[in-house]
Amino acid sequence: LLFLVGTLHPMSPSDYHFEYTDCDVLGSRWRVAVPNKPDTCTGLPDPVKGTQCTFSCSEGEFLDMRSQECQKCSVGTYSLGTGVAFDEWDSMPAGFISHGMNMNIADIYTNCSNSTWIPKGDYIASNIDECTSTLSYTVSLKKAGTVSFEYFYPDNTIFFEFYVQNDQCESTDSEGRWMRTSEKDWTPHNLKLNRGNNVLYWRTTSFALVGSAVKPVLLRNIAISGVAYTSECFHCKPGTYSAKPGSAHCSPCPVDSYSNKGATVCQQCEVDKYAEAGSGSCKQRPACTTSDYFYTHTPCDSKGQTQLMYKWIEPKICSEIVEGAVDNSTEGAVKLPASGQMETCPPCNPGFSVTNTSGCEPCPHGSYSNGTACAECPVGTEPVVGFEYKWWNKMPDNMRSSVYSRELTGWEVAGEYIYTTQGDLDSDYMMLSLTVPGYRLPHSMAKDDERSELSRISFVFETQCTADCTLYFMAGYSERTNDMVEHWSGTTRKQSYSYLVKSNSTVSFTWGFQRTQAYSEVRQYSGDFAKMYTVQITNVVGGVASQCRHCALGSGSASECVPCPPAHYMVNGTGVCKSCPPNTFIRADQAVGEAACIHCGPNTHSNKAHSACVSDCRLNLQSTGGGEVLQYDFTSLANITSFQSSPRFTSKGLRYFHQFRVGLCGEEGREVAVCVDNVTESRKEVRGYACQSTVVPSEVRGQSVVSSQPFTIGDTLVGKRFHPWCIPLKYETTQACKKGRTTTLRLRCDPTVTGKDQITLPSKCSEGTCDGCSFHFLWRSQYACPLCTERHYREIVSACIQGIQRTTYVWQQPLQCTGGVSLPAQTVSACVTLDFWLKVGVSTGTVAAILLISISCYFWKRTRKLEYKYSKLMMTAGDKECELPAADSCAIMEGEDAEDDLIYLTKKSFFTKIKSFSRERSSDGFDSVPLKSSSGLEMEMS
């Protein structure tokens, strides 16, 4: 002990620091001295009463723990007063924790330990794989405060959420925690914090599929207010400065200047160097090249002339003077070319007219123009309203050019086209946006729920690239929420593309061109470009007209256009409406000419407005071979049915499916198939007869699956055919499908299927299609069988039991029908049993036998009598030879005594009688007959 005491030295102010104890229930605390290294010195100051727990300093101040008073921050530093700020991300700041985890419950093998947020200097970036990465920070607030930060969230294939948990692990509301995608720059976000402990969470989960590049979420400038005090001020980071004491923040250095950490003033760069705003150092200016300037046309002057001129790309960083050159020569560097000669301005765009100052102004409503002068539409016609841009001398008022997340110009007008400028970086997004107020159908076009086309936007473009450039076309409610519609990669020849607008909420369109996805400060592909030649959009509210078209006139006014009646088309060049043939519908894009009447497909019929063909899910078809007519009823299959493809996996092992939704049939007002994108808060939906989306099983966002990339694969019912029974559907053309997408749904009768949604995909094309344009599905169901009729069952008659006989009806097997007629109920009828007929037969046989015996006996006796008389006659004839007996000698003459002629036979037994019958004849051929005389003596006659 003496040895230890002897080694300790007296405490100096640099050996310890002050801290506050935890607050008690009265809100009080103590200030205590804590050594920087334990057991190294003695003589610590005694604890003293501290400030109240609610005490705080103002912005630009800090709490001096020695005097327990607020002091102003010195120059080159700043303070939030009651908060902390994090604006330097060279490494992970103290208190921040980042970890990765696997949210896919079906995948237990993916290792997500390295999927964390990564500091990148001025910001921190999220992961880009399928794991869930969480960045957290815990702060204890002595009073209610706020948290603010800036984020850059450009990719909707990532879930990005921010939420706060308190001491009871209660989170912020589930609706406000999901971040919106960034429009074009860093997006600020603020949230109120409650007093007490708060844990801040930033969490991302990527669902990138095969062939898609994911852009990470970026965070910067995180600030938290509500802490009781801050005991020190923060130094300004490089590229910023603080010139006044008591600053609450540091200001960025202007262009071509720089500063070090804790600077009080920015230093100007040398002449041959440059720096962007907020830079911590200067860079050497490169020699100017042809990629550092672009060409454009000046606005038309009062004489109607324009001039080709060249401009440096702003901000200009190149040098026209090569370093080290003698006499400041420009060898090796280019200068800005001289402007071109004055030339006549192109005409105004259709629907506009030339003003006195050689400008262009829109024609008034009810008139049209080809770009020169406005003219009233003739009586019986109406203007075709919209916008058509094909001359690019000036950027249209409803179009805007920019570079994503940068204050630069991305597209420039060039007379006959608009093109992408060289830009500052090859990875920049060169954005061109078009915004319209809404859409309205012309008076001559009737409103109908089945009409899907509200407007149509068409454009002609081309791209020329030496790298992996991509041109994107996006549509939506605003630039912030636009979704990608189509994209083209690499060099693309001059071509046109059209997109149908089906909702009044789609009022923003954006074209984005990126030369390469690889980031580099050296420009290598500045010569790659995209050009837009024409842009045309129809039925725009407040639009202009380039032409007028004939329309049907109403009865009330001679100049008021009205739609033709349903099932009528307009004769070309007139306002006369003519009826279409039966069972046809009118084309939505043009109801002029007989060609506008489109016949409905087999087994479909037109709706009431004759704008589409529908089916009531019932039809009659004649079986093959000209047999009977089969009736079908698919109403049980009419509801929306969902099914999935076999699972697929990304390179990281993420499992996903292609989900299809089908609405088989139905009349007007039917439910349609809907596929959604629920990755972001915008929740994009597509509707039609059939649609497809990509789903990923996950527990993120409290939902079982994540659905993305929805698109329609059938929105028009083409018809229904038999053998094989199929329903073809059609959708508009795309870049890859020039003839449009088609979907064929084959129904097969299968009574063994108990459910109604056993739908399979082709074995050779596990995604339902082999080319992305033609989709094929096989639907097995008992409801795909024809309706049952009387020929589908037979009757079975039971035996007669106790006088009752039952008739039962059963289906023919194998059963190939459903619904229709029902089996008749079992019938019961009276019957006679076999025992009764057996008794009747035995009785009848007995009676017949008795009768037969009686008749036999009768005739036997008669025969014996005749034999007797014959014998007697012969005996009589023997006495008189050569005389024949009289004809009636065998009869008993009148007066004869019959009794004298009776033959009395002796009674013999039954066997004796049989013996007598079997006696042999005598030699003369006569049988011996025993006789008795009248005196009773027995005699025998031969």
Side-chain angles (χ1 to χ4, degrees):
L1 180 61
L2 292 175
F3 174 77
L4 291 174
V5 172
T7 59
L8 297 177
H9 60 81
M11 183 72 68
S12 64
S14 61
D15 293 329
Y16 64 89
H17 64 277
F18 291 106
E19 291 183 3
Y20 280 125
T21 62
D22 293 336
C23 297
D24 56 23
V25 293
L26 299 178
S28 301
R29 56 187 174 183
W30 291 81
R31 189 200 69 175
V32 297
V34 180
N36 296 330
K37 295 182 180 181
D39 303 329
T40 58
C41 55
T42 60
L44 289 173
D46 295 330
V48 297
K49 188 76 172 180
T51 59
Q52 291 293 318
C53 292
T54 57
F55 176 82
S56 62
C57 295
S58 302
E59 292 182 344
E61 297 179 342
F62 72 99
L63 180 62
D64 185 358
M65 294 295 291
R66 295 186 180 276
S67 62
Q68 298 194 71
E69 294 180 353
C70 294
Q71 303 290 337
K72 286 187 177 182
C73 292
S74 61
V75 292
T77 62
Y78 73 99
S79 168
L80 300 178
T82 61
V84 291
F86 305 95
D87 54 7
E88 293 186 53
W89 298 93
D90 296 320
S91 61
M92 190 71 73
F96 280 88
I97 300 175
S98 179
H99 64 277
M101 59 186 301
N102 183 13
M103 295 295 291
N104 186 5
I105 58 177
D107 181 12
I108 61 176
Y109 302 104
T110 302
N111 184 7
C112 295
S113 59
N114 295 325
S115 300
T116 59
W117 290 72
I118 303 174
K120 295 287 187 179
D122 293 335
Y123 54 85
I124 185 171
S126 70
N127 67 315
I128 56 175
D129 55 21
E130 291 85 2
C131 297
T132 296
S133 181
T134 303
L135 178 69
S136 62
Y137 181 77
T138 303
V139 61
S140 179
L141 301 185
K142 304 304 179 182
K143 63 179 182 179
T146 60
V147 56
S148 63
F149 58 89
E150 294 179 346
Y151 69 90
F152 184 54
Y153 177 25
D155 200 332
N156 60 6
T157 61
I158 293 182
F159 268 141
F160 177 38
E161 58 180 323
F162 169 70
Y163 61 97
V164 180
Q165 286 187 345
N166 55 20
D167 291 333
Q168 290 75 36
C169 292
E170 296 175 347
S171 303
T172 54
D173 64 285
S174 58
E175 294 296 330
R177 65 194 295 175
W178 301 101
M179 300 290 99
R180 290 181 175 272
T181 53
S182 301
E183 182 176 351
K184 68 185 181 80
D185 207 342
W186 291 87
T187 304
H189 185 75
N190 297 275
L191 184 67
K192 293 183 178 180
L193 301 178
N194 297 324
R195 181 177 179 272
N197 289 329
N198 291 269
V199 184
L200 315 180
Y201 292 96
W202 293 266
R203 188 165 72 174
T204 60
T205 303
S206 172
F207 294 99
L209 304 180
V210 177
S212 59
V214 180
K215 301 175 181 62
V217 176
L218 309 180
L219 284 178
R220 73 178 186 184
N221 297 339
I222 300 177
I224 304 172
S225 66
V227 297
Y229 65 94
T230 177
S231 58
E232 62 178 347
C233 295
F234 300 96
H235 290 282
C236 293
K237 68 176 184 178
T240 62
Y241 71 99
S242 171
K244 296 180 179 179
S247 297
H249 63 274
C250 298
S251 302
C253 291
V255 176
D256 292 337
S257 65
Y258 73 99
S259 69
N260 298 318
K261 186 175 182 178
T264 60
V265 65
C266 294
Q267 303 295 325
Q268 194 70 24
C269 292
E270 299 178 6
V271 178
D272 58 344
K273 295 183 179 181
Y274 75 98
E276 298 178 354
S279 297
S281 62
C282 296
K283 300 178 182 179
Q284 188 69 39
R285 292 183 181 272
C288 290
T289 65
T290 55
S291 299
D292 293 311
Y293 62 84
F294 63 93
Y295 62 94
T296 184
H297 284 76
T298 61
C300 293
D301 57 18
S302 58
K303 298 180 180 180
Q305 291 186 326
T306 183
Q307 185 181 24
L308 177 69
M309 65 178 302
Y310 297 88
K311 294 183 179 179
W312 292 112
I313 297 175
E314 296 294 338
K316 180 187 176 185
I317 62 174
C318 67
S319 174
E320 301 175 57
I321 301 175
V322 178
E323 183 181 1
V326 181
D327 298 330
N328 293 333
S329 66
T330 59
E331 184 178 355
V334 299
K335 287 192 174 183
L336 198 66
S339 300
Q341 295 181 352
M342 301 298 294
E343 55 187 29
T344 303
C345 287
C348 295
N349 282 308
F352 292 82
S353 62
V354 182
T355 63
N356 294 331
T357 58
S358 298
C360 296
E361 62 179 9
C363 292
H365 181 69
S367 60
Y368 71 101
S369 167
N370 61 356
T372 54
C374 299
E376 291 287 336
C377 287
V379 176
T381 63
E382 64 176 350
V384 181
V385 177
F387 287 109
E388 181 181 359
Y389 301 117
K390 63 180 183 180
W391 299 108
W392 302 94
N393 197 58
K394 175 188 175 184
M395 184 70 71
D397 294 336
N398 57 353
M399 298 186 74
R400 187 172 66 90
S401 171
S402 63
V403 176
Y404 202 59
S405 74
R406 300 168 69 89
E407 297 296 330
L408 298 173
T409 299
W411 295 69
E412 276 291 341
V413 295
E416 295 182 352
Y417 54 85
I418 183 172
Y419 74 105
T420 54
T421 61
Q422 281 80 355
D424 189 23
L425 299 173
D426 289 338
S427 58
D428 285 342
Y429 277 93
M430 322 299 285
M431 312 297 292
L432 178 65
S433 301
L434 168 66
T435 304
V436 296
Y439 312 98
R440 182 172 54 237
L441 293 176
H443 296 292
S444 61
M445 189 174 295
K447 294 182 179 180
D448 179 59
D449 294 337
E450 295 289 337
R451 190 184 304 278
S452 59
E453 181 178 342
L454 187 60
S455 175
R456 181 187 295 261
I457 181 171
S458 305
F459 54 92
V460 178
F461 69 98
E462 73 169 328
T463 60
Q464 182 174 323
C465 307
T466 57
D468 56 333
C469 72
T470 306
L471 176 65
Y472 300 91
F473 173 61
M474 296 162 280
Y477 181 72
S478 66
E479 292 183 54
R480 183 188 185 95
T481 59
N482 281 355
D483 295 306
M484 188 183 71
V485 175
E486 191 61 89
H487 71 280
W488 298 264
S489 299
T491 300
T492 305
R493 60 178 178 82
K494 188 175 181 181
Q495 60 182 275
S496 63
Y497 178 80
S498 296
Y499 173 71
L500 297 183
V501 179
K502 302 180 181 181
S503 171
N504 244 319
S505 61
T506 306
V507 294
S508 176
F509 306 94
T510 303
W511 294 266
F513 180 72
Q514 186 182 34
R515 291 179 170 86
T516 180
Q517 295 183 0
Y519 176 82
S520 175
E521 293 186 358
V522 180
R523 289 183 299 179
Q524 304 178 25
Y525 312 109
S526 56
D528 297 355
F529 62 85
K531 290 182 180 180
M532 200 78 62
Y533 291 92
T534 62
V535 176
Q536 184 177 11
I537 184 169
T538 62
N539 301 337
V540 179
V541 174
V544 295
S546 60
Q547 59 179 330
C548 299
R549 63 185 171 193
H550 287 276
C551 62
L553 301 180
S555 58
S557 174
S559 60
E560 181 181 358
C561 291
V562 296
C564 283
H568 286 69
Y569 68 93
M570 187 183 305
V571 180
N572 285 320
T574 67
V576 178
C577 295
K578 193 173 180 180
S579 176
C580 282
N583 200 30
T584 58
F585 69 97
I586 303 296
R587 292 175 54 185
D589 54 344
Q590 184 181 6
V592 178
E594 190 174 359
C597 302
I598 308 299
H599 286 274
C600 289
N603 301 299
T604 62
H605 61 274
S606 57
N607 58 359
K608 294 180 180 179
H610 290 265
S611 60
C613 295
V614 295
S615 170
D616 60 356
C617 300
R618 297 178 177 88
L619 69 155
N620 298 328
L621 296 173
Q622 190 171 21
S623 61
T624 56
E628 66 173 326
V629 175
L630 302 177
Q631 297 180 342
Y632 290 85
D633 187 352
F634 302 115
T635 54
S636 299
L637 305 177
N639 295 330
I640 304 303
T641 302
S642 177
F643 56 98
Q644 294 178 344
S645 67
S646 57
R648 301 179 65 85
F649 299 89
T650 65
S651 58
K652 295 277 187 173
L654 178 67
R655 183 167 60 104
Y656 67 95
F657 303 87
H658 290 306
Q659 184 181 61
F660 302 91
R661 293 178 63 85
V662 176
L664 185 62
C665 51
E667 295 285 3
E668 297 177 77
R670 68 191 180 279
E671 184 181 3
V672 296
V674 179
C675 295
V676 301
D677 181 352
N678 60 7
V679 176
T680 59
E681 200 176 39
S682 59
R683 191 178 173 84
K684 174 186 175 183
E685 292 185 353
V686 296
R687 298 171 177 267
Y689 276 98
C691 59
Q692 175 189 328
S693 61
T694 302
V695 297
V696 180
S698 175
E699 294 301 322
V700 179
R701 205 173 184 176
Q703 51 201 17
S704 59
V705 295
V706 175
S707 177
S708 63
Q709 303 176 7
F711 61 92
T712 305
I713 59 176
D715 65 352
T716 302
L717 183 63
V718 177
K720 300 181 179 181
R721 300 194 303 269
F722 182 73
H723 192 66
W725 206 100
C726 63
I727 302 176
L729 308 171
K730 190 174 182 180
Y731 188 65
E732 66 258 20
T733 60
T734 63
Q735 176 200 359
C737 307
K738 302 301 182 182
K739 297 182 179 180
R741 296 191 184 104
T742 58
T743 299
T744 302
L745 185 63
R746 288 174 169 83
L747 274 67
R748 178 172 296 174
C749 174
D750 191 346
T752 61
V753 179
T754 56
K756 63 178 182 180
D757 53 356
Q758 185 172 335
I759 304 179
T760 57
L761 284 68
S763 58
K764 296 182 179 179
C765 306
S766 59
E767 298 183 2
T769 178
C770 295
D771 57 1
C773 299
S774 300
F775 293 80
H776 297 271
F777 308 109
L778 176 62
W779 194 340
R780 291 184 175 91
S781 175
Q782 59 177 325
Y783 301 105
C785 299
L787 296 180
C788 295
T789 60
E790 288 78 1
R791 75 176 186 88
H792 289 99
Y793 63 82
R794 60 188 178 90
E795 64 177 21
I796 298 177
V797 181
S798 67
C800 184
I801 302 175
Q802 297 181 354
I804 298 177
Q805 190 175 49
R806 290 178 171 83
T807 302
T808 306
Y809 298 89
V810 296
W811 294 113
Q812 299 277 7
Q813 297 299 327
L815 182 62
Q816 295 292 332
C817 67
T818 183
V821 299
S822 302
L823 282 176
Q826 187 183 64
T827 60
V828 179
S829 59
C831 64
V832 180
T833 62
L834 181 61
D835 293 343
F836 172 79
W837 289 110
L838 182 59
K839 292 177 181 179
V840 171
V842 172
S843 301
T844 304
T846 304
V847 172
I850 295 173
L851 181 61
L852 181 60
I853 294 173
S854 300
I855 295 174
S856 299
C857 293
Y858 170 76
F859 282 105
W860 179 75
K861 288 184 178 182
R862 292 279 298 178
T863 302
R864 295 296 294 180
K865 287 182 178 182
L866 290 175
E867 287 181 352
Y868 169 74
K869 289 185 177 182
Y870 179 77
S871 299
K872 185 177 179 181
L873 179 63
M874 292 301 295
M875 291 177 63
T876 305
D879 295 336
K880 298 178 179 182
E881 295 182 357
C882 300
E883 291 186 5
L884 294 173
D888 56 351
S889 60
C890 290
I892 299 177
M893 301 302 294
E894 185 179 357
E896 290 184 347
D897 188 4
E899 294 295 332
D900 293 340
D901 296 331
L902 291 177
I903 301 175
Y904 295 94
L905 301 175
T906 59
K907 294 183 179 180
K908 300 179 181 180
S909 65
F910 178 76
F911 294 101
T912 306
K913 292 180 179 180
I914 294 176
K915 185 178 179 181
S916 64
F917 280 115
S918 60
R919 184 178 298 164
E920 296 182 357
R921 290 177 179 264
S922 58
S923 59
D924 55 5
F926 292 95
D927 294 332
S928 297
V929 180
L931 301 174
K932 283 187 177 183
S933 64
S934 57
S935 59
L937 298 178
E938 182 177 350
M939 59 178 294
E940 185 176 78
M941 183 176 66
S942 300

